[in-house]
Amino acid sequence: MRYYLFATAGHVDHGKTSLIKALTGIDTDRLPEEKRRGLSIDLGFAYLDFPDIRVRLEFIDVPGHERFIKNAIAGLASARGLLLVVDSAEGIMPQTVEHLRVAKNFGINRGVAVLTKIDKVDWETLEIAKEELEDFLKNEGVRFPITCVSSRTGQGIESLRENLKNAVKELKEGKALRPLRILVDSAFTVKGYGTVLRGSCIEGRIKEGEGVVVEPLGTRARVRRIQNHGIFVKNAEAGERVALNLPGIEKEKIKRGYWILKPDSYVKGNVLLVETNIDLKPGKVYSVFFGMREVQGRFSHVEKRVYFLKLPEGIVSKRGDRVVILDSSGRLIGGGEVLHPQVKIKKKSFVRENLRHLLESFELYVLKELDSEGFKIYHFRKLTGLSPDHKLLQRESVKLGDRFYLKESLEKLEERLEIFLKGELKKRSLGVPKADVAKKFGINQDLFNYLIQKIGRYKVLGELIVEEGSINLGEHPQIRKLLELLSEGFMEERDIISSGISREILNLAVKRRYVHRIGDYLLISDGQLGEFIKSLRELGDE
């Protein structure tokens, strides 16, 4: 079965909760105050199954009152589709507009619009309401089918179910293949089980018994049990509402908007690159919603509508995550998309120079940013939730060990290394210590070996780098040690290596004829070999 999260949206008292109950049979108003006031205050949850297409539609019922806009944002944050509800008598109202715009800022562009309470209006009023709704949707740039219903009489409910089914068919799959992300909206304690965290599985899969980490706490736990709408299940995946029994987690420390993740599958950053759909005032504090979590941040303009977003703490996010932005008064002003969730180079000049890669080819941007550190597949997956374009990597980079390096960067690094070695070898007759190169360039062994091989003029002799054609090899400490070992006659190669002589030194000594190979395993010094030949000649011609 496949699972998709839909959220309701719309003005207060336009019939969202009644509509969900008519569709699913589930009353999402669960708080006593909600029952008493007849008003949704917090998020509610329900589901609708389509057995013929093996789909479960999970509903998040969002409160419509303007005072609960942050609760509405929290509900819309995890949805992939929208059920936009409009009272046919009242028409488009402020929260209708606000909720739809929040949804759009979160990247929600699939859904169904519903005109409710049609049993309370005449045909002419309904037609006017329908025309108004069509114009509103068109102006907002969304194409939702419109269904007219009465939750009280049941009129239009079957037609709504059919439209919801069609909307689900338009949604792409694939979220379950990404690293796990569960957005937590509540925590409670169950006697005999311990702490339970409830939320929406946005991406990935989770199985009973697997280890997880709760962020931003950084606390690890093992999943003892999993529930979906009160039923125990062995596993869950993207699109499902889940409740995870996580013994050892302190309920009091859990807040709405925390993440449940797989260990070592994500990054946290306090400086991000974000592209917005509005112009922002640099230095001003804005409320930025990452999923359900509200964080205060400052934007620093880079280029066009690309900004550095500076946060007071590390936040979990991925490239492509959508954010909603409120001003200091709590008014919705726009949204944005995370371009880079963990910025390493914080120079505006670097971003401007590589802006096209940042926007269109993130693999190249990360390759340039990491430079000699190298690009690892699993790190890119942490940043994006996706695998990189392997054809692009093959074309633009060189793989050494488990890392990729931009060809262009390697050429520049090779040039710098050669200039450095040339200068140092003028000062040091015996060679340049490898440690000096590591300190100067910060490169790993794989990259070091690649660059030395590419340059071609240098050899590594033990811990020293030498120019092969010009070094006085006889002065090298390891050569002197090698000749001392061979002063008594033959030695096996394995004994020479085990004594601390590097294989590179041994091979170069053979090449320069300081020592000679006798057969496959034995070695002798040039001096000793000369003495043996002299002794043999003294025995005569036969």
Side-chain angles (χ1 to χ4, degrees):
M1 184 171 277
R2 291 173 291 129
Y3 303 86
Y4 296 98
L5 284 156
F6 266 54
T8 64
H11 200 73
V12 62
D13 202 31
H14 275 207
K16 294 186 296 297
T17 303
S18 299
L19 181 63
I20 292 297
K21 187 173 182 180
L23 268 174
T24 68
I26 299 170
D27 185 354
T28 59
D29 277 350
R30 50 191 168 75
L31 301 176
E33 189 178 357
E34 290 177 320
K35 298 290 188 186
R36 179 174 57 80
R37 296 169 63 181
L39 173 71
S40 294
I41 297 171
D42 205 353
L43 305 177
F45 307 98
Y47 63 93
L48 176 64
D49 286 337
F50 296 110
D52 55 326
I53 59 170
R54 294 182 54 76
V55 164
R56 169 167 286 185
L57 199 54
E58 301 267 14
F59 285 109
I60 303 174
D61 189 20
V62 171
H65 198 285
E66 63 179 337
R67 286 183 296 161
F68 306 127
I69 181 59
K70 292 183 181 181
N71 281 352
I73 290 172
L76 291 162
S78 55
R80 292 196 62 195
L82 195 66
L83 188 61
L84 184 65
V85 180
V86 179
D87 186 324
S88 55
E90 293 193 358
I92 307 299
M93 297 292 281
Q95 266 56 62
T96 316
V97 178
E98 190 170 50
H99 284 194
L100 180 59
R101 289 179 181 170
V102 169
K104 284 166 58 184
N105 281 313
F106 274 130
I108 302 169
N109 54 17
R110 290 286 184 272
V112 176
V114 186
L115 284 168
T116 58
K117 307 181 184 181
I118 62 172
D119 55 307
K120 295 184 178 180
V121 298
D122 56 32
W123 179 86
E124 187 176 354
T125 302
L126 182 58
E127 284 299 305
I128 293 171
K130 190 173 182 181
E131 187 176 328
E132 180 192 27
L133 182 53
E134 286 173 346
D135 289 343
F136 169 66
L137 294 173
K138 184 179 179 181
N139 291 335
E140 289 295 325
V142 294
R143 298 176 62 186
F144 294 174
I146 298 173
T147 311
C148 303
V149 305
S150 167
S151 300
R152 189 177 66 83
T153 67
Q155 184 182 349
I157 293 297
E158 283 308 312
S159 177
L160 175 56
R161 285 196 181 100
E162 196 61 32
N163 278 338
L164 284 167
K165 185 194 290 188
N166 292 333
V168 165
K169 290 176 182 177
E170 294 177 354
L171 293 173
K172 293 179 181 178
E173 295 183 59
K175 295 276 188 179
L177 301 177
R178 299 185 182 189
L180 177 73
R181 290 205 291 174
I182 296 173
L183 194 50
V184 177
D185 51 60
S186 60
F188 50 92
T189 303
V190 177
K191 189 175 181 180
Y193 288 94
T195 303
V196 174
L197 272 60
R198 184 167 56 194
S200 299
C201 187
I202 309 300
E203 295 173 340
R205 296 187 172 103
I206 184 67
K207 293 180 182 177
E208 197 175 89
E210 285 189 319
V212 295
V213 59
V214 179
E215 284 290 357
L217 298 178
T219 307
R220 298 196 177 203
R222 194 158 296 279
V223 180
R224 180 184 287 174
R225 303 296 296 274
I226 305 173
Q227 276 194 356
N228 172 251
H229 293 288
I231 297 172
F232 284 109
V233 293
K234 292 293 183 182
N235 50 65
E237 65 177 56
E240 287 190 75
R241 288 287 304 166
V242 294
L244 302 185
N245 179 206
L246 300 177
I249 298 289
E250 296 180 51
K251 176 182 77 72
E252 292 74 20
K253 291 186 177 180
I254 302 300
K255 295 180 181 179
R256 174 173 285 177
Y258 281 13
W259 290 104
I260 298 174
L261 309 150
K262 292 281 181 68
D264 200 34
S265 68
Y266 59 94
V267 295
K268 293 167 72 174
N270 61 354
V271 177
L272 291 73
L273 277 164
V274 177
E275 184 177 26
T276 66
N277 55 19
I278 48 167
D279 294 319
L280 299 168
K281 292 182 179 179
K284 184 179 177 181
V285 176
Y286 292 91
S287 289
V288 186
F289 277 83
F290 290 83
M292 296 181 174
R293 192 166 177 213
E294 180 183 11
V295 185
Q296 304 300 309
R298 296 178 188 272
F299 290 87
S300 177
H301 184 251
V302 178
E303 186 78 17
K304 298 178 182 177
R305 285 183 170 175
V306 175
Y307 296 83
F308 280 122
L309 172 56
K310 298 176 182 179
L311 305 169
E313 58 187 289
I315 195 85
V316 173
S317 68
K318 282 187 169 68
R319 176 177 169 88
D321 280 359
R322 305 295 285 261
V323 298
V324 168
I325 305 168
L326 308 184
D327 64 15
S328 56
S329 67
R331 181 176 62 90
L332 172 71
I333 58 171
E337 181 177 342
V338 175
L339 297 175
H340 196 330
Q342 190 185 52
V343 175
K344 181 178 180 183
I345 297 180
K346 303 175 180 68
K347 295 179 180 177
K348 292 182 180 181
S349 57
F350 178 84
V351 180
R352 290 181 186 128
E353 184 182 333
N354 297 286
L355 187 62
R356 186 170 62 85
H357 296 323
L358 177 66
L359 297 174
E360 301 171 12
S361 183
F362 193 49
E363 290 90 343
L364 286 176
Y365 188 90
V366 176
L367 278 166
K368 286 198 168 191
E369 186 181 45
L370 293 177
D371 195 38
S372 61
E373 184 181 332
F375 168 117
K376 290 187 176 182
I377 297 290
Y378 84 88
H379 178 66
F380 186 83
R381 193 163 167 78
K382 286 182 186 182
L383 294 172
T384 66
L386 303 168
S387 295
D389 182 339
H390 287 275
K391 288 184 179 178
L392 183 147
L393 289 180
Q394 190 174 14
R395 186 173 66 249
E396 301 289 345
S397 70
V398 174
K399 186 180 182 186
L400 303 172
D402 62 348
R403 299 171 192 251
F404 293 83
Y405 302 87
L406 193 67
K407 290 178 181 178
E408 176 189 327
S409 298
L410 289 183
E411 289 170 5
K412 292 177 181 177
L413 189 58
E414 180 187 333
E415 187 178 325
R416 286 170 51 215
L417 178 58
E418 188 166 13
I419 291 169
F420 172 76
L421 290 176
K422 191 174 181 180
E424 290 297 303
L425 283 168
K426 287 180 179 178
K427 307 178 217 172
R428 310 172 192 235
S429 59
L430 289 180
V432 182
K434 283 169 60 178
D436 288 7
V437 174
K439 183 179 179 182
K440 171 78 176 175
F441 294 92
I443 55 180
N444 61 37
Q445 191 64 46
D446 288 330
L447 183 51
F448 172 81
N449 291 340
Y450 171 84
L451 292 170
I452 291 295
Q453 187 178 1
K454 281 280 287 179
I455 295 170
R457 296 169 53 196
Y458 302 102
K459 286 282 185 184
V460 179
L461 301 181
E463 293 304 311
L464 292 176
I465 304 164
V466 300
E467 190 169 5
E468 187 177 2
S470 62
I471 184 173
N472 181 2
L473 203 59
E475 296 298 316
H476 195 283
Q478 284 206 22
I479 291 291
R480 291 204 295 265
K481 181 179 178 181
L482 173 63
L483 295 177
E484 186 181 333
L485 288 170
L486 292 170
S487 62
E488 300 297 323
F490 295 101
M491 277 191 74
E492 287 197 29
E493 183 172 344
R494 64 182 179 182
D495 294 331
I496 293 173
I497 299 300
S498 65
S499 72
I501 303 297
S502 72
R503 198 171 297 280
E504 294 89 352
I505 282 282
L506 185 57
N507 290 337
L508 192 56
V510 171
K511 187 175 180 179
R512 295 280 191 89
R513 303 184 69 81
Y514 283 88
V515 299
H516 301 274
R517 292 188 183 277
I518 308 296
D520 294 331
Y521 307 109
L522 294 177
L523 291 113
I524 189 170
S525 72
D526 185 67
Q528 277 291 334
L529 181 61
E531 288 296 322
F532 287 153
I533 291 171
K534 181 180 177 183
S535 297
L536 284 168
R537 282 179 176 160
E538 287 173 356
L539 293 175
D541 294 332
E542 297 182 5

